[in-house]
Amino acid sequence: MGIPEVDNFDIVEIKFKGGRKEYYRNVDFLALHTGDPVVVDVPSGHHIGYVSLQGELVRLQMQKRKIRDDDEILRIYRVANQKDMEKWGEAQNREMPTLYRCRQIVEELGLKMKMSDIEYQSDNSKATFYYSADDRVDFRELIKVLAGEFRIRVEMRQISLRQEAGRLGGIGVCGRELCCSTWLVDFKNVSTSAARYQNLSLNPGKLSGQCGRLKCCLNYELDTYMDALKDIPAVDRPLLTESGPAKLQKTDIFRKLMWFSYNNDNDWHSISCERVKEIQEINEKGTKVFTLTYNEASEIEDLAAKSTRELELLDKKFADSSPKRKKKPRPQNRTAGENRSQQSPNRPAPKTNQPEAQKNAPQNQKPAGEQQKKHRNNKNKNKPRNPEANSGQNQAPQPPLANPQKLGPKGQNVQKPKGDAGNPGNVNSGDPKPKPEGKKRFPPRKNQGPNPNKPGNE
């Protein structure tokens, strides 16, 4: 902080036991430093304290505590020497035994008071007894007993619970020394409303300090929270939505976020304060919003996009689950004549160049003619030449034909003799109908040599 350039201020701040601070004037302009023990003037003798602050900052502290710079301010004698410190040490050793004896006397007298601390002056001429009580206490008899037993002048001073914690000292939950025992001088009233504004749980065990009262640090950030709460809307009743009423669960003041839940569920939905104001205005008109998160303009687009994604996922799932059609194995590479012979067995195989076919065929594969011949032989191995002969067991044997025809390429009759036109299947007729000469089943090909694959040319 900026300090104005003025002459050195001659008043020094001195700290005593229990964090008590007083102001004394440096009349002799002693060269003092922070932490130096000094002997100061007191109404009933002299006492020893430590320098805590000096210079222009002392003026600002006096203005804050409303202390006037007049003749009532006492002076500093000197810097304490070794003899002064030894005498003060002897006085401090008497404090604890005196405190225990004082508590016994209080119990004997039946006084409703609590003795907190005792402070002896460095000259062993006076002792100040600090106590706390809820009501007014008549301690006149107690002063007589203490003065006659300890042979000193007794001063009784009542303090509050906060001042008592400051005198005793300690470490707070923050890990640092208590504020009331270090720098805090004025104790302001702390109410539970300070905890409500900061959204703190109203648990006395967590909000109370070592003094048993609300922590003084609750007032430190209260002004900042009050400024931030100006932009937070007040939610007195649940928000009305199509999914049901939404109740307020939590508010983040600095991030401007508010959490709501449907029917006190564990699922909380965070929305901004501007969105809460919009929903409140819509509810005042008697209408409900669809959801808390989105506004009506973007809800339709989001629903359409969501439905489109669902349809795409269904299509993909259906495509993956449908059975795949297996591919048929491709036939082996065969010659054109072999394929045609398999399609029409009665048709003779075309003429092929035997050297080229044998050259292109694999080593372990036989020629096409031999394979076809072997196939026909295996097929007709157990088949009788006259199928009508074995059609029935009770039929009479038939005489052989007069002019048997030659066998065809597959060992079957090319044309069987027929009887009359009214009885076409009568083979016992003596005058078979001759086959017309002009109609031949396989016309001869021109300029065609002998076919090696034809069984008749073997």
Side-chain angles (χ1 to χ4, degrees):
M1 58 182 299
I3 301 176
E5 296 293 337
V6 295
D7 297 337
N8 292 332
F9 195 59
D10 59 347
I11 297 179
V12 182
E13 184 182 72
I14 306 299
K15 184 177 180 179
F16 299 95
K17 181 184 178 181
R20 181 173 61 91
K21 297 178 181 179
E22 300 292 340
Y23 297 94
Y24 295 89
R25 193 181 302 276
N26 188 5
V27 180
D28 299 330
F29 298 101
L30 301 174
L32 303 177
H33 301 280
T34 301
D36 292 343
V38 293
V39 179
V40 297
D41 185 15
V42 291
S44 60
H46 65 273
H47 197 24
I48 294 178
Y50 293 94
V51 177
S52 61
L53 194 64
Q54 58 181 344
E56 190 63 25
L57 294 178
V58 179
R59 186 197 300 274
L60 300 177
Q61 291 293 331
M62 292 178 64
Q63 293 178 359
K64 182 180 179 180
R65 300 180 63 179
K66 298 180 180 180
I67 298 177
R68 296 181 180 179
D69 184 5
D70 52 12
D71 297 337
E72 294 182 1
I73 297 178
L74 302 179
R75 60 188 295 267
I76 297 176
Y77 286 125
R78 62 183 182 274
V79 178
N81 52 28
Q82 186 67 27
K83 186 177 180 179
D84 296 333
M85 297 300 294
E86 291 178 358
K87 190 175 181 179
W88 185 36
E90 295 176 359
Q92 289 179 343
N93 294 333
R94 297 178 58 186
E95 292 179 354
M96 295 306 296
T98 304
L99 179 61
Y100 294 149
R101 178 56 184 162
C102 182
R103 289 178 177 175
Q104 294 177 359
I105 296 173
V106 170
E107 291 180 359
E108 293 175 359
L109 297 176
L111 300 178
K112 295 181 180 180
M113 57 187 302
K114 177 184 177 182
M115 301 303 300
S116 300
D117 193 14
I118 295 176
E119 182 179 0
Y120 272 88
Q121 281 188 181
S122 60
D123 55 359
N124 278 328
S125 62
K126 180 183 175 181
T128 304
F129 292 82
Y130 296 93
Y131 73 97
S132 60
D134 296 334
D135 300 328
R136 185 180 178 86
V137 181
D138 187 5
F139 48 79
R140 289 178 293 181
E141 186 67 23
L142 178 61
I143 292 176
K144 293 179 183 180
V145 175
L146 294 176
E149 185 170 350
F150 296 107
R151 300 295 178 180
I152 55 174
R153 290 189 301 114
V154 177
E155 180 183 355
M156 302 295 296
R157 184 174 297 180
Q158 185 177 0
I159 59 177
S160 63
L161 295 176
R162 299 183 186 276
Q163 292 174 345
E164 179 183 0
R167 291 194 63 84
L168 297 177
I171 304 298
V173 295
C174 59
R176 303 183 65 180
E177 191 176 356
L178 298 178
C179 299
C180 54
S181 62
T182 52
W183 62 273
L184 193 60
V185 178
D186 299 331
F187 298 97
K188 296 181 180 180
N189 185 22
V190 183
S191 60
T192 56
S193 60
R196 292 193 184 95
Y197 288 137
Q198 301 178 37
N199 291 330
L200 299 176
S201 61
L202 300 179
N203 188 357
K206 294 182 179 180
L207 298 179
S208 301
Q210 294 187 3
C211 58
R213 299 291 187 270
L214 294 176
K215 297 178 182 178
C216 299
C217 54
L218 293 177
N219 288 336
Y220 296 164
E221 299 178 356
L222 182 59
D223 296 337
T224 305
Y225 275 89
M226 295 299 293
D227 294 338
L229 284 173
K230 295 179 181 178
D231 300 331
I232 305 298
V235 182
D236 300 332
R237 55 185 179 180
L239 303 180
L240 301 179
T241 62
E242 295 293 340
S243 302
K247 296 182 179 180
L248 178 64
Q249 299 293 342
K250 180 183 176 182
T251 304
D252 193 335
I253 299 175
F254 297 104
R255 294 173 60 188
K256 302 288 191 303
L257 294 177
M258 304 180 75
W259 279 266
F260 290 84
S261 66
Y262 297 104
N263 299 324
N264 295 326
D265 293 339
N266 293 329
D267 295 336
W268 292 3
H269 306 275
S270 63
I271 58 177
S272 61
C273 296
E274 291 77 7
R275 176 59 179 166
V276 175
K277 294 179 181 178
E278 293 177 2
I279 296 176
Q280 288 179 344
E281 293 176 358
I282 295 173
N283 292 152
E284 290 177 357
K285 298 177 182 179
T287 58
K288 298 180 181 180
V289 296
F290 187 75
T291 57
L292 290 173
T293 310
Y294 305 103
N295 52 20
E296 287 73 8
S298 60
E299 282 175 2
I300 300 175
E301 297 179 359
D302 295 340
L303 291 175
K306 184 178 179 181
S307 61
T308 304
R309 289 193 299 268
E310 291 178 355
L311 291 175
E312 292 178 356
L313 292 175
L314 289 175
D315 294 341
K316 185 177 180 180
K317 185 177 180 181
F318 179 75
D320 295 339
S321 62
S322 61
K324 296 183 179 180
R325 187 175 297 176
K326 296 183 179 180
K327 295 182 179 180
K328 295 182 179 179
R330 293 183 179 181
Q332 297 180 358
N333 189 9
R334 299 178 181 178
T335 59
E338 184 181 359
N339 295 335
R340 282 195 296 270
S341 64
Q342 291 180 1
Q343 293 178 3
S344 57
N346 296 330
R347 188 175 180 180
K351 181 180 178 181
T352 56
N353 191 1
Q354 185 175 2
E356 293 182 359
Q358 294 179 358
K359 183 179 181 181
N360 296 329
Q363 296 180 3
N364 298 330
Q365 186 177 359
K366 296 181 180 181
E370 295 181 3
Q371 290 182 0
Q372 187 174 5
K373 180 180 178 182
K374 185 178 181 180
H375 177 70
R376 288 196 303 270
N377 295 334
N378 293 334
K379 183 176 180 181
N380 300 325
K381 182 176 181 180
N382 299 323
K383 186 174 181 181
R385 293 184 179 273
N386 190 2
E388 295 180 0
N390 297 330
S391 61
Q393 297 180 2
N394 299 326
Q395 292 181 2
Q398 298 178 2
L401 297 176
N403 296 323
Q405 299 293 332
K406 294 183 180 181
L407 297 177
K410 291 187 177 181
Q412 299 179 359
N413 295 332
V414 177
Q415 187 176 1
K416 295 180 181 181
K418 297 182 181 180
D420 298 334
N423 190 8
N426 191 3
V427 296
N428 296 327
S429 179
D431 190 9
K433 186 177 180 179
K435 184 178 179 181
E437 298 179 359
K439 294 182 180 181
K440 293 183 180 180
R441 187 164 183 174
F442 298 106
R445 296 182 181 180
K446 296 181 179 180
N447 299 329
Q448 184 176 3
N451 190 357
N453 296 330
K454 190 173 181 181
N457 298 327
E458 291 182 357

